[in-house]
């Protein structure tokens, strides 16, 4: 994973407290953060699948 789960949570919390003037940038950054999270979860799932014993 590029970011640990606590790091993903910190990004979300930081963007959550952004002011009204930064709302558009915060939403764009949240979209990027969600994309990174989705890629990290997909990579973790692929690793877990590779580690399973083959029958």
């Amino acid at each position: 994973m590029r970011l640990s789960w606590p790091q993903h949570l910190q990004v979300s919390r930081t963007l959550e407290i952004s002011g009204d003037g930064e709302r558009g940038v915060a939403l764009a950054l949240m979209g990027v953060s969600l994309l990174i999270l989705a890629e990290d979860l997909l990579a973790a799932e692929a690793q877990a699948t590779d580690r399973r014993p083959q029958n």
Side-chain angles (χ1 to χ4, degrees):
M1 286 187 141
R2 286 176 275 178
L3 295 176
S4 66
W5 185 245
Q7 289 173 319
H8 280 293
L9 291 175
Q10 184 60 41
V11 167
S12 297
R13 290 182 183 123
T14 300
L15 294 173
E16 178 184 31
I17 60 172
S18 64
D20 290 339
E22 294 87 29
R23 200 59 48 122
V25 173
L27 285 172
L29 290 173
M30 183 60 78
V32 171
S33 178
L34 289 172
L35 177 63
I36 291 170
L37 176 60
E39 289 176 346
D40 285 349
L41 291 173
L42 185 62
E45 182 181 3
Q47 266 186 343
T49 301
D50 291 343
R51 291 182 186 159
R52 285 190 209 156
Q54 299 291 324
N55 292 14

